[in-house]
Amino acid sequence: DGFEERRMMPGTWVCKNVSGCSMEEATTEFTWSMFAYMRGGNSKKTKIDLRVPIVRWMNPAILGTSGCNKNYRMCSWLPQEHQEDPPLPQEEGVYLYQSRGPVVYSMLYDSPRDKQDEVFTQRATKFMDMLDATGIQYKPEYVKSVVYIGPSPSAKELHEVWLVKPERTDELTGMEVTIVEKRCEVLDCPEYESIQKHDGFEERRIMPGTWVCKNVSGCSMKEASGEFAWSMLAYVSGSNSKKANIEVDVPVLRSMNPAHMLTEGCDKEYTMCFWLPQQYQEDPPKPIGDRMYLYQSRGPVVYVKSYVGPMEVQDEVFTRRATKFMNALDQAGIQYKKEYVKS
């Protein structure tokens, strides 16, 4: 009621990551970069009509906040005639992004150009609250503002809020998943050897390989994951030594001191890592800036207990599950490294 579920078609977008005080300010900077690209600042020196949808990604946590360190990912759809062989951008920081075609929840609204931040904040917050109230899941790491620009400056703009449906985990919702093979049908997982299956958990040897990591401080694992998601997004969108766009349907690993799980405060430290897909393992692209780094794992032996939990209470659920798991290992006399626990 009042919104639509759509599957967007795969295709190429022209993008730039921009920081600023507001979405309006960031859009202005992006517009100048797109103007240069469409006027011939590309590998084919061709002129391109980019009066097409512009998508602006952001973390919902910045909505309604002050400050000039807000991060946005700005993208413009490449017209159909350039999709098969897209001209490469020449400007530093502008890149091509290949979308696989997500499923989105879309809500249409009107907005005056001089109040787009305020109106979008109101509409996006209301939309997320509505989906939360009805139990409809969406990716909480980002929300998208979409604007359709008409053929002339005086033409009316159409605006939408997009929230992305987490398709690949839908089939796991509400299930007690006990075998990694099920998850790895949809994820590029690190290989492992099953050493022994115990009552309710498994002992595995994880194969060596490379992860992309960042050390993050915050009030919660959920908050730290949000910050890491933006750093991860920049890396996979070309902010790496090879300017490669990388598909990242891969596991994310979050390491922390068990003592943090039951404490309050915003000085909790986490090491956040995502598995580098197999095709990049032999010669991994190095991160550029943002304190990201490559970590070469030697392949530990781990005790693993699988569970499914809702995203909005991930800290509470993980704390309960991890505490119960550690207590069970302690009672069974099974030793493990107590300096950290991994989600």
Side-chain angles (χ1 to χ4, degrees), residues 8 11-20 22-24 26-27 30 53-63 69-77 95-104 117 120 124 139-147 160-164 229-230 232-234 236-237 246-248:
M8 310 310 295
T12 302
W13 298 71
V14 186
C15 302
K16 183 177 182 179
N17 299 331
V18 183
S19 295
S22 66
M23 183 170 65
E24 183 177 0
T27 302
F30 176 68
I54 294 175
V55 178
R56 303 172 288 194
W57 310 36
M58 67 209 77
N59 189 319
I62 71 172
L63 296 178
N69 59 346
K70 300 175 183 177
N71 296 318
Y72 303 90
R73 181 184 188 180
M74 322 288 288
C75 296
S76 183
W77 175 254
Y95 57 91
L96 298 179
Y97 169 67
Q98 182 66 39
S99 170
R100 291 168 305 161
V103 172
V104 300
D117 280 84
F120 177 73
K139 290 186 176 182
E141 307 95 79
Y142 50 81
V143 58
K144 299 181 182 183
S145 163
V146 186
V147 57
E160 291 180 332
V161 181
W162 283 3
L163 295 168
V164 179
W230 282 102
M232 179 175 163
L233 181 62
V236 303
S237 298
I246 302 171
E247 296 287 354
V248 285

Side-chain angles (χ1 to χ4, degrees), residues 6-194:
R6 306 177 190 156
R7 179 176 294 280
M8 310 310 295
M9 293 298 101
T12 302
W13 298 71
V14 186
C15 302
K16 183 177 182 179
N17 299 331
V18 183
S19 295
C21 305
S22 66
M23 183 170 65
E24 183 177 0
E25 178 186 300
T27 302
T28 299
E29 178 179 337
F30 176 68
T31 299
W32 282 107
S33 295
M34 288 302 96
F35 183 75
Y37 176 79
M38 65 186 276
R39 297 295 295 172
N42 55 69
S43 59
K44 296 182 179 181
K45 302 189 185 304
T46 187
K47 293 185 178 181
I48 301 170
D49 183 4
L50 282 180
R51 287 196 177 275
V52 286
I54 294 175
V55 178
R56 303 172 288 194
W57 310 36
M58 67 209 77
N59 189 319
I62 71 172
L63 296 178
T65 63
S66 58
C68 292
N69 59 346
K70 300 175 183 177
N71 296 318
Y72 303 90
R73 181 184 188 180
M74 322 288 288
C75 296
S76 183
W77 175 254
L78 200 58
Q80 197 59 45
E81 62 265 30
H82 301 287
Q83 283 287 325
E84 188 171 336
D85 185 19
L88 299 175
Q90 300 296 297
E91 181 183 325
E92 184 72 23
V94 180
Y95 57 91
L96 298 179
Y97 169 67
Q98 182 66 39
S99 170
R100 291 168 305 161
V103 172
V104 300
Y105 300 113
S106 173
M107 175 178 278
L108 181 69
Y109 68 96
D110 290 324
S111 175
R113 291 185 180 182
D114 59 342
K115 293 185 178 180
Q116 54 183 294
D117 280 84
E118 299 93 314
V119 175
F120 177 73
T121 294
Q122 294 167 4
R123 296 290 186 153
T125 302
K126 183 178 179 180
F127 192 19
M128 289 186 288
D129 288 344
M130 182 173 68
L131 294 189
D132 290 340
T134 55
I136 297 176
Q137 292 190 342
Y138 56 90
K139 290 186 176 182
E141 307 95 79
Y142 50 81
V143 58
K144 299 181 182 183
S145 163
V146 186
V147 57
Y148 298 85
I149 302 173
S152 68
S154 61
K156 182 179 179 181
E157 295 180 352
L158 297 178
H159 298 263
E160 291 180 332
V161 181
W162 283 3
L163 295 168
V164 179
K165 182 179 180 180
E167 288 183 277
R168 289 178 170 263
T169 57
D170 279 355
E171 64 179 305
L172 305 181
T173 302
M175 297 169 53
E176 187 70 21
V177 183
T178 56
I179 54 171
V180 77
E181 286 85 352
K182 183 66 176 176
R183 291 189 296 279
C184 290
E185 289 176 4
V186 295
L187 298 177
D188 185 347
C189 297
E191 295 182 358
Y192 75 95
E193 172 193 359
S194 179

Side-chain angles (χ1 to χ4, degrees), residues 285-337:
K286 296 179 181 177
I288 298 176
D290 205 20
R291 307 191 310 279
M292 299 278 282
Y293 59 92
L294 298 178
Y295 171 66
Q296 182 65 42
S297 171
R298 292 174 297 175
V301 173
V302 297
Y303 299 114
V304 178
K305 186 173 185 65
S306 300
Y307 69 95
V308 172
M311 290 185 178
E312 62 272 16
V313 289
Q314 57 185 282
D315 282 83
E316 295 92 325
V317 175
F318 177 73
T319 294
R320 291 199 302 268
R321 297 285 188 151
T323 302
K324 184 176 180 181
F325 190 23
M326 289 186 291
N327 289 341
L329 294 184
D330 290 339
Q331 292 174 7
I334 298 175
Q335 294 187 338
Y336 57 92
K337 290 186 176 181

